[in-house]
């Protein structure tokens, strides 16, 4: 397999996560003798390359990343309507917890595959990850439209699409550091807005088409949209600088000595363990409490994602000035308070306010996480690997988080909503405390907030 000739490399100032990028390129006489598919990248003579921080090619990467977010987090944010449909129609013989494993597997693999996608990205295989990953997402969505049993849905929607998402999401976030430095958080925020936009539109499409043409065509219509969106990143996205000339490790155990990184990744585990409980269960909550009709309840997921559009852009724009970690803590505190407030929802108006606000602040948590990981990586040449390790922890949390909520909830006839909501709220509270500890550890290290 021929490798991409381009790759990110970063400066080595250990106190600055967004230090200058540099390119280490050396003559490599063995390159022509390397076996196809080998991980050892090509090298050339050393030079220096400034981060453009803008320009047509840089913003085309943002456009491509936006399309990837539509195909990844946009689908994950839509799973609430699939959960409700599966529970009442296609898979009604299965429990809420069993059905939520499909969505949690999809979301978990988006993160878990990052532990392999990160080193491959660092080694120069960006284009290969992009093409194969997007193919798996589209193929899995088409196959889901043909599914009739639980194992088929789990294989197509959970595993196949999840692997494709994992191959594309991390590289789409990491490549921003090649094109942006001062405005990196803003670029990531704009690109991540593709997720809630898709999460706003896809539930409407699914509900309307499913009512008239059935589940199969509702799923296929979304698949055709994903196929069209896949053309954008394949056409425009490419790495700007070549690989650094070093084979990449899957794990960098040096992070075990970095207290800020460890506190943040452990906090990320508790955050993603419970962050998506409202996304998965707000529709079912609204119908079981008779807050909304069966026809309107799926639109609560749409409103969640509508609120998330603002949460993806505004905090990231502010973060470039006031710090990504500071902003993510604010979003975590707000999300925690809102989930506790979920206990008191008794009418439609309150539910609409809740989903709009929670969508905004939870969206900030998701979109700021890659920026914080970049800030906590002093050597950007290892950014893919370190992001992959952080995503591995978060992926394990997503895998078990919503099924645990479903197990606490129990059956539809006698649901235990108080326990489910408190589980989500306490998880976010623990995550907030750990992120705050990260902030204190950085203050001790740098002497500045």
């Amino acid at each position: 397999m021929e490798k991409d000739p381009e790759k990110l490399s970063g400066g080595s100032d250990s106190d600055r996560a967004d230090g200058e990028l540099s390119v280490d390129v050396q003559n490599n006489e063995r390159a022509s003798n390397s076996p196809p598919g080998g991980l050892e990248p090509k090298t050339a003579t050393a030079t220096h390359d400034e981060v453009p921080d803008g320009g047509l090619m840089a913003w085309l990467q943002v456009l491509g990343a936006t399309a990837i977010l539509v195909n990844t987090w946009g689908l994950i944010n839509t799973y609430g309507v699939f959960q409700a449909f599966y529970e009442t129609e296609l898979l009604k013989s299965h429990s809420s917890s069993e059905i939520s494993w499909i969505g949690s597997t999809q979301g978990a693999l988006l993160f878990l595959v990052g532990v392999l996608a990160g080193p491959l990205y660092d080694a120069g295989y960006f284009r290969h990850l992009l093409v194969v990953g997007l193919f798996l997402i589209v193929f899995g969505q088409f196959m889901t439209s043909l599914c009739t049993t639980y194992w088929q849905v789990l294989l197509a929607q959970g595993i196949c699409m999840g692997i494709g998402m994992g191959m594309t999401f991390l590289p789409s976030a990491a490549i921003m550091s090649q094109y942006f430095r001062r405005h990196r958080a803003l670029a990531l925020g704009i690109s991540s807005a593709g997720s809630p936009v898709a999460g706003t539109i896809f539930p409407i499409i699914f509900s309307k088409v499913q009512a008239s043409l059935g589940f199969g065509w509702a799923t296929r219509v979304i698949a055709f949209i994903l196929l069209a969106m896949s053309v954008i990143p394949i056409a425009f996205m490419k790495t700007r600088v070549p690989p650094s000339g070093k084979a990449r490790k899957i794990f960098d155990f040096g992070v075990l000595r970095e207290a800020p990184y460890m506190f943040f990744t452990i906090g990320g585990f508790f955050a993603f363990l419970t962050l998506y409980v409202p996304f998965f269960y707000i529709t079912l909550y609204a119908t079981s409490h008779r807050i909304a009709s069966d026809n309107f309840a799926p639109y609560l997921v749409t409103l969640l994602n509508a609120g998330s559009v603002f949460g993806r852009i505004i905090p990231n724009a502010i973060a470039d000035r006031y710090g990504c970690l500071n902003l993510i803590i604010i979003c975590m505190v707000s999300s925690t308070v809102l989930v506790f407030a979920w206990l008191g929802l008794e009418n439609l108006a309150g539910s609409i306010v809740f989903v709009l606000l929670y969508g905004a602040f939870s969206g900030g948590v998701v979109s700021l996480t890659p920026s914080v990981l970049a800030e906590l990586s002093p050597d950007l040449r290892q950014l893919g690997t370190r992001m992959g390790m952080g995503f591995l922890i978060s992926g394990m949390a997503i895998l078990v988080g919503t099924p645990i909520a479903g197990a606490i909830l129990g059956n539809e006839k006698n649901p235990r909503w108080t326990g489910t909501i408190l589980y989500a709220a306490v998880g976010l509270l623990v995550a907030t405390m750990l992120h705050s500890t990260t902030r204190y550890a950085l203050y001790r290290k740098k002497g500045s907030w």
Side-chain angles (χ1 to χ4, degrees), residues 398-427:
I398 287 183
L399 179 64
V400 300
T402 51
I404 291 174
I408 295 172
L409 182 63
N411 58 60
E412 188 177 356
K413 295 181 179 178
N414 188 27
R416 296 184 291 269
W417 283 108
T418 300
T420 302
I421 295 171
L422 285 176
Y423 158 75
V426 172

Short mmCIF file of all heavy atoms in Angstrom, two decimals, residues 398-427:
data_model
loop_
_atom_site.label_atom_id
_atom_site.label_comp_id
_atom_site.label_asym_id
_atom_site.label_seq_id
_atom_site.Cartn_x
_atom_site.Cartn_y
_atom_site.Cartn_z
N ILE A 398 -18.39 5.13 26.71
CA ILE A 398 -19.59 5.16 25.87
C ILE A 398 -20.15 3.76 25.66
O ILE A 398 -21.37 3.56 25.63
CB ILE A 398 -19.27 5.83 24.52
CG1 ILE A 398 -19.09 7.33 24.71
CG2 ILE A 398 -20.36 5.57 23.51
CD1 ILE A 398 -18.83 8.09 23.43
N LEU A 399 -19.27 2.77 25.57
CA LEU A 399 -19.71 1.40 25.33
C LEU A 399 -20.65 0.91 26.42
O LEU A 399 -21.66 0.27 26.14
CB LEU A 399 -18.50 0.47 25.21
CG LEU A 399 -18.80 -1.01 24.99
CD1 LEU A 399 -19.50 -1.22 23.66
CD2 LEU A 399 -17.52 -1.84 25.07
N VAL A 400 -20.31 1.21 27.67
CA VAL A 400 -21.10 0.67 28.78
C VAL A 400 -22.06 1.68 29.38
O VAL A 400 -22.98 1.31 30.13
CB VAL A 400 -20.17 0.11 29.89
CG1 VAL A 400 -19.30 -1.00 29.33
CG2 VAL A 400 -19.31 1.22 30.50
N GLY A 401 -21.88 2.97 29.08
CA GLY A 401 -22.62 4.03 29.77
C GLY A 401 -24.12 3.96 29.59
O GLY A 401 -24.87 3.86 30.58
N THR A 402 -24.61 4.01 28.36
CA THR A 402 -26.06 3.99 28.13
C THR A 402 -26.70 2.63 28.40
O THR A 402 -27.85 2.59 28.86
CB THR A 402 -26.39 4.49 26.71
OG1 THR A 402 -25.61 3.78 25.75
CG2 THR A 402 -26.11 5.97 26.60
N PRO A 403 -26.01 1.49 28.15
CA PRO A 403 -26.61 0.23 28.58
C PRO A 403 -26.80 0.14 30.09
O PRO A 403 -27.78 -0.45 30.57
CB PRO A 403 -25.60 -0.83 28.09
CG PRO A 403 -24.98 -0.20 26.89
CD PRO A 403 -24.86 1.26 27.26
N ILE A 404 -25.87 0.71 30.87
CA ILE A 404 -26.06 0.75 32.32
C ILE A 404 -27.30 1.55 32.66
O ILE A 404 -28.12 1.16 33.52
CB ILE A 404 -24.81 1.34 33.02
CG1 ILE A 404 -23.63 0.38 32.91
CG2 ILE A 404 -25.11 1.65 34.49
CD1 ILE A 404 -22.33 0.95 33.44
N ALA A 405 -27.47 2.69 31.97
CA ALA A 405 -28.67 3.50 32.19
C ALA A 405 -29.92 2.71 31.84
O ALA A 405 -30.94 2.78 32.56
CB ALA A 405 -28.59 4.77 31.34
N GLY A 406 -29.87 1.93 30.75
CA GLY A 406 -31.01 1.12 30.38
C GLY A 406 -31.30 0.03 31.39
O GLY A 406 -32.47 -0.29 31.67
N ALA A 407 -30.24 -0.57 31.96
CA ALA A 407 -30.44 -1.60 32.98
C ALA A 407 -31.06 -1.02 34.24
O ALA A 407 -31.91 -1.65 34.89
CB ALA A 407 -29.10 -2.26 33.30
N ILE A 408 -30.63 0.20 34.60
CA ILE A 408 -31.24 0.87 35.76
C ILE A 408 -32.70 1.19 35.48
O ILE A 408 -33.57 1.02 36.35
CB ILE A 408 -30.46 2.16 36.10
CG1 ILE A 408 -29.03 1.82 36.54
CG2 ILE A 408 -31.18 2.94 37.20
CD1 ILE A 408 -28.14 3.04 36.70
N LEU A 409 -32.98 1.62 34.26
CA LEU A 409 -34.34 1.99 33.89
C LEU A 409 -35.30 0.82 33.98
O LEU A 409 -36.45 0.96 34.43
CB LEU A 409 -34.35 2.56 32.47
CG LEU A 409 -35.69 3.06 31.93
CD1 LEU A 409 -36.22 4.23 32.77
CD2 LEU A 409 -35.54 3.46 30.46
N GLY A 410 -34.84 -0.36 33.56
CA GLY A 410 -35.71 -1.54 33.63
C GLY A 410 -36.66 -1.60 32.45
O GLY A 410 -36.40 -1.06 31.37
N ASN A 411 -37.81 -2.24 32.66
CA ASN A 411 -38.75 -2.42 31.55
C ASN A 411 -39.65 -1.20 31.38
O ASN A 411 -39.75 -0.35 32.26
CB ASN A 411 -39.60 -3.68 31.77
CG ASN A 411 -40.37 -3.64 33.07
OD1 ASN A 411 -41.19 -2.75 33.29
ND2 ASN A 411 -40.12 -4.61 33.95
N GLU A 412 -40.31 -1.16 30.23
CA GLU A 412 -41.13 0.00 29.88
C GLU A 412 -42.37 0.12 30.76
O GLU A 412 -42.88 1.23 30.97
CB GLU A 412 -41.54 -0.10 28.40
CG GLU A 412 -42.23 1.12 27.85
CD GLU A 412 -42.56 0.99 26.38
OE1 GLU A 412 -42.17 -0.02 25.77
OE2 GLU A 412 -43.21 1.90 25.84
N LYS A 413 -42.85 -0.99 31.31
CA LYS A 413 -44.06 -0.95 32.12
C LYS A 413 -43.83 -0.33 33.49
O LYS A 413 -44.72 0.30 34.06
CB LYS A 413 -44.62 -2.36 32.27
CG LYS A 413 -45.10 -2.97 30.95
CD LYS A 413 -45.67 -4.36 31.18
CE LYS A 413 -46.17 -4.97 29.87
NZ LYS A 413 -46.69 -6.35 30.06
N ASN A 414 -42.62 -0.51 34.03
CA ASN A 414 -42.33 0.03 35.36
C ASN A 414 -40.92 0.65 35.36
O ASN A 414 -40.02 0.16 36.03
CB ASN A 414 -42.43 -1.07 36.41
CG ASN A 414 -42.32 -0.53 37.82
OD1 ASN A 414 -42.66 0.63 38.10
ND2 ASN A 414 -41.80 -1.35 38.73
N PRO A 415 -40.72 1.73 34.62
CA PRO A 415 -39.38 2.32 34.49
C PRO A 415 -38.94 3.03 35.77
O PRO A 415 -39.75 3.64 36.47
CB PRO A 415 -39.54 3.30 33.33
CG PRO A 415 -40.99 3.68 33.35
CD PRO A 415 -41.73 2.47 33.82
N ARG A 416 -37.65 2.94 36.06
CA ARG A 416 -37.08 3.62 37.23
C ARG A 416 -36.32 4.87 36.76
O ARG A 416 -35.09 4.88 36.66
CB ARG A 416 -36.15 2.66 37.97
CG ARG A 416 -36.86 1.44 38.55
CD ARG A 416 -35.91 0.56 39.35
NE ARG A 416 -34.94 -0.10 38.47
CZ ARG A 416 -35.13 -1.30 37.92
NH1 ARG A 416 -36.27 -1.95 38.15
NH2 ARG A 416 -34.20 -1.83 37.15
N TRP A 417 -37.08 5.91 36.47
CA TRP A 417 -36.49 7.11 35.89
C TRP A 417 -35.62 7.88 36.88
O TRP A 417 -34.58 8.44 36.49
CB TRP A 417 -37.60 8.02 35.35
CG TRP A 417 -38.16 7.55 34.05
CD1 TRP A 417 -39.39 6.99 33.84
CD2 TRP A 417 -37.51 7.56 32.79
NE1 TRP A 417 -39.54 6.65 32.51
CE2 TRP A 417 -38.40 7.00 31.84
CE3 TRP A 417 -36.25 7.99 32.35
CZ2 TRP A 417 -38.07 6.85 30.50
CZ3 TRP A 417 -35.93 7.84 31.01
CH2 TRP A 417 -36.83 7.28 30.10
N THR A 418 -35.98 7.91 38.14
CA THR A 418 -35.18 8.65 39.12
C THR A 418 -33.76 8.09 39.21
O THR A 418 -32.78 8.83 39.20
CB THR A 418 -35.84 8.62 40.50
OG1 THR A 418 -37.14 9.20 40.42
CG2 THR A 418 -35.00 9.38 41.52
N GLY A 419 -33.65 6.77 39.27
CA GLY A 419 -32.33 6.15 39.33
C GLY A 419 -31.52 6.40 38.08
O GLY A 419 -30.31 6.66 38.14
N THR A 420 -32.16 6.35 36.92
CA THR A 420 -31.47 6.57 35.66
C THR A 420 -30.94 8.00 35.56
O THR A 420 -29.79 8.23 35.16
CB THR A 420 -32.42 6.29 34.48
OG1 THR A 420 -32.90 4.95 34.57
CG2 THR A 420 -31.71 6.48 33.15
N ILE A 421 -31.76 8.96 35.94
CA ILE A 421 -31.35 10.36 35.85
C ILE A 421 -30.24 10.68 36.86
O ILE A 421 -29.27 11.38 36.54
CB ILE A 421 -32.57 11.28 36.05
CG1 ILE A 421 -33.57 11.09 34.90
CG2 ILE A 421 -32.14 12.74 36.13
CD1 ILE A 421 -34.90 11.78 35.10
N LEU A 422 -30.36 10.15 38.08
CA LEU A 422 -29.32 10.38 39.09
C LEU A 422 -28.00 9.74 38.67
O LEU A 422 -26.92 10.29 38.94
CB LEU A 422 -29.77 9.83 40.44
CG LEU A 422 -30.82 10.67 41.18
CD1 LEU A 422 -31.25 9.97 42.46
CD2 LEU A 422 -30.27 12.07 41.49
N TYR A 423 -28.06 8.59 38.03
CA TYR A 423 -26.85 7.96 37.50
C TYR A 423 -26.14 8.89 36.53
O TYR A 423 -24.92 9.09 36.61
CB TYR A 423 -27.24 6.65 36.82
CG TYR A 423 -26.24 6.14 35.80
CD1 TYR A 423 -25.04 5.56 36.19
CD2 TYR A 423 -26.52 6.23 34.43
CE1 TYR A 423 -24.13 5.09 35.25
CE2 TYR A 423 -25.62 5.77 33.48
CZ TYR A 423 -24.43 5.20 33.89
OH TYR A 423 -23.55 4.74 32.96
N ALA A 424 -26.91 9.51 35.62
CA ALA A 424 -26.32 10.44 34.65
C ALA A 424 -25.76 11.67 35.34
O ALA A 424 -24.66 12.14 35.03
CB ALA A 424 -27.36 10.83 33.60
N ALA A 425 -26.50 12.22 36.29
CA ALA A 425 -26.10 13.45 36.96
C ALA A 425 -24.84 13.25 37.80
O ALA A 425 -23.91 14.08 37.76
CB ALA A 425 -27.23 13.96 37.83
N VAL A 426 -24.76 12.15 38.54
CA VAL A 426 -23.60 11.90 39.40
C VAL A 426 -22.36 11.64 38.54
O VAL A 426 -21.25 12.10 38.88
CB VAL A 426 -23.88 10.73 40.35
CG1 VAL A 426 -22.61 10.33 41.11
CG2 VAL A 426 -24.98 11.10 41.35
N GLY A 427 -22.52 10.93 37.43
CA GLY A 427 -21.38 10.71 36.55
C GLY A 427 -20.81 12.01 36.03
O GLY A 427 -19.59 12.21 35.99
#
